[in-house]
């Protein structure tokens, strides 16, 4: 029999037991339109007699319409939303999401990239909340923009380069002026370089900062700029502020409110020290400090371990001592003789100097 119509209404061509409404065995089916243009040869309807799509030929290409065209052209390219696909798969859409890759695998959703013989050369996908891109071992990952290498990942070192294809540190950014190429980058984890001026901008509306931490404390210190009153604070040892530069340029050490009439304000308890040291062969270190317990000011010779000058809260002065007994008290621990007097008054109206 050439054609059989079974009791259930199925039609068989080349078979006496058709399993479907139309079953063809041992031959081809040819559908040809006598009308030029994009005309449906195979039209598909749903159960509500609504047209769901068409399959038809057009100038040698195969098109699937539902309702936008899917085009298989003679060159083997597939176009979705375009009648002139320039790639093996060319998708054009007005929506922000043109292509969606999904999977029922709970761990991975990926697009694999192959070269020859089915060998994976790269992949992009989604795993446990992370988006990833990658290439085979020994190759690098490049994300381009405008035909230029925007982000370069060295797959051997995992260094990331922006503006460079040879990143020397974990993150290496090279500006439009080009690399400076110092002798070594080994001390850096992050490098920002540009021939000419190189800058790092940190923009905020309340605070802008750089924070430092270690294994024991993620917030150990910081350099923080406050936009509310335009001061810069320096923090150490548990992110505690130790120094501040206010909006006028006054510096406070140990205080967050440097006095308006001084450029350097040092506060401490019970001492507030300022050390001055000359570092040449005969240099000495002198320390100026305020002592809260006795309400006094001192100049101390750290090199000679001697107090050189003291002023108490009443304005009394001691030279060579820490205690004052009068408006001016001079002490000589060496008990020198008259010719090595501790205090001398001399003027042009006297024929000899007066010693005390």
């Amino acid at each position: 029999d050439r054609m059989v119509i079974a009791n259930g209404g199925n039609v068989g061509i080349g078979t006496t037991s058709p399993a479907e409404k139309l079953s063809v065995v041992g031959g081809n089916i040819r559908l040809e339109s006598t009308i030029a243009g994009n005309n449906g040869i195979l039209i598909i309807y749903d159960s509500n007699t609504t047209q769901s799509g068409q399959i038809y030929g057009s100038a040698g290409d195969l098109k699937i319409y539902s309702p936008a065209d899917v085009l298989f052209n003679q060159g083997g390219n597939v176009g979705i939303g375009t009648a002139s696909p320039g790639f093996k798969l060319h998708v054009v859409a007005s929506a922000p999401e043109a292509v969606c890759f999904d999977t029922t695998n709970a761990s991975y959703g990926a697009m694999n990239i192959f070269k020859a013989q089915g060998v994976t050369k790269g992949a992009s996908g989604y795993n446990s909340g992370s988006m990833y891109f990658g290439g085979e071992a020994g190759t690098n990952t490049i994300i381009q923009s405008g035909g230029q290498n925007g982000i370069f990942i060295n797959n051997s070192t995992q260094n990331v380069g922006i503006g460079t294809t040879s990143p020397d540190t974990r993150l290496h950014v090279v500006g439009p002026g080009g690399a400076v190429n110092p002798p070594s980058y080994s001390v850096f984890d992050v490098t920002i370089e540009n021939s000419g001026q190189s800058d790092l901008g940190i923009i905020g509306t309340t605070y802008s900062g750089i924070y430092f931490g270690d294994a024991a404390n993620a917030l150990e210190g910081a350099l923080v700029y406050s936009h509310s009153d335009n001061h810069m604070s320096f923090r150490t040892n548990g992110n505690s502020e130790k120094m501040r530069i206010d909006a006028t340029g006054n510096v406070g050490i140990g205080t967050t409110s440097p006095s308006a009439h001084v450029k350097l304000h040092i506060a401490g308890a019970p001492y507030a020290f300022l050390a001055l040291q000359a570092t040449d062969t005969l240099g000495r270190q002198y320390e100026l400090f305020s002592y809260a317990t006795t309400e006094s000011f001192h100049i101390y010779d750290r090199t000679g371990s001697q107090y050189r000058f003291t002023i108490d809260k009443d304005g009394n002065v001691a030279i060579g001592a820490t205690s004052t007994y009068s408006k001016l008290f001079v002490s000589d621990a060496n008990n020198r003789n008259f010719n090595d007097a501790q205090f001398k008054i001399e003027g042009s109206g006297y024929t000899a100097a007066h010693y005390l």
Side-chain angles (χ1 to χ4, degrees):
D1 295 331
R2 300 294 185 182
M3 184 175 71
V4 172
I5 301 177
N7 292 334
N10 292 351
V11 176
I13 300 176
T15 177
T16 58
S17 55
E20 304 295 339
K21 289 298 181 183
L22 175 61
S23 297
V24 179
V25 177
N28 300 323
I29 298 175
R30 176 171 177 170
L31 303 176
E32 183 175 346
S33 174
T34 59
I35 304 174
N38 300 336
N39 296 285
I41 298 301
L42 181 62
I43 304 175
I44 303 171
Y45 292 84
D46 61 21
S47 60
N48 296 320
T49 68
T50 301
Q51 186 182 133
S52 299
Q54 303 177 16
I55 300 176
Y56 57 93
S58 176
D61 300 329
L62 176 63
K63 292 187 176 183
I64 301 174
Y65 176 85
S66 178
D69 284 337
V70 176
L71 172 68
F72 298 82
N73 70 10
Q74 298 176 70
N77 293 346
V78 177
I80 301 176
T82 174
S84 54
F87 307 93
K88 288 301 178 183
L89 175 61
H90 192 165
V91 180
V92 177
S94 59
E97 299 83 11
V99 179
C100 177
F101 293 92
D102 203 352
T103 179
T104 57
N105 188 309
S107 299
Y108 294 91
M111 176 180 66
N112 292 328
I113 303 170
F114 297 90
K115 194 177 180 182
Q117 291 80 44
V119 178
T120 303
K121 295 298 182 180
S124 66
Y126 181 87
N127 179 24
S128 302
S130 300
M131 186 68 186
Y132 67 88
F133 298 89
E136 67 174 334
T139 64
N140 302 312
T141 300
I142 303 173
I143 300 176
Q144 290 191 336
S145 176
Q148 302 296 319
N149 293 334
I151 300 176
F152 179 94
I153 303 174
N154 186 307
N155 286 356
S156 297
T157 64
Q158 298 302 303
N159 291 345
V160 178
I162 299 177
T164 176
T165 57
S166 56
D168 291 286
T169 55
R170 185 61 70 191
L171 175 61
H172 193 164
V173 181
V174 177
V180 179
N181 297 317
S184 174
Y185 294 88
S186 60
V187 297
F188 308 128
D189 291 315
V190 177
T191 302
I192 301 175
E193 65 175 320
N194 185 51
S195 182
Q197 183 173 338
S198 184
D199 303 291
L200 172 66
I202 302 176
I203 310 299
T205 57
T206 54
Y207 294 95
S208 299
I210 301 175
Y211 293 84
F212 308 92
D214 52 35
N217 187 357
L219 190 56
E220 195 65 57
L223 175 63
V224 180
Y225 189 88
S226 171
H227 298 279
S228 60
D229 61 0
N230 295 309
H231 80 262
M232 179 80 77
S233 64
F234 299 79
R235 306 178 186 180
T236 63
N237 193 26
N239 201 36
S240 174
E241 182 173 332
K242 300 299 190 296
M243 185 174 77
R244 173 177 294 204
I245 303 174
D246 67 18
T248 65
N250 293 344
V251 178
I253 299 177
T255 176
T256 59
S257 303
S259 297
H261 59 280
V262 296
K263 284 299 179 184
L264 177 62
H265 183 170
I266 301 175
Y271 300 96
F273 275 90
L274 174 63
L276 303 174
Q277 180 181 11
T279 57
D280 61 5
T281 303
L282 299 178
R284 302 178 76 86
Q285 178 175 321
Y286 288 94
E287 297 171 356
L288 289 71
F289 70 94
S290 175
Y291 184 29
T293 302
T294 59
E295 301 179 81
S296 56
F297 171 79
H298 304 269
I299 298 177
Y300 184 73
D301 180 355
R302 178 64 64 180
T303 305
S305 300
Q306 294 287 330
Y307 282 90
R308 301 302 187 191
F309 187 83
T310 298
I311 301 177
D312 67 16
K313 65 178 181 178
D314 299 316
N316 297 330
V317 176
I319 298 176
T322 59
S323 300
T324 59
Y325 299 97
S326 60
K327 286 298 180 183
L328 176 61
F329 174 70
V330 181
S331 174
D332 187 353
N334 297 320
N335 295 315
R336 291 179 292 185
N337 59 30
F338 178 79
N339 292 326
D340 293 324
Q342 300 168 10
F343 189 70
K344 177 180 178 182
I345 301 176
E346 182 177 12
S348 59
Y350 296 90
T351 57
H354 297 265
Y355 297 90
L356 301 175

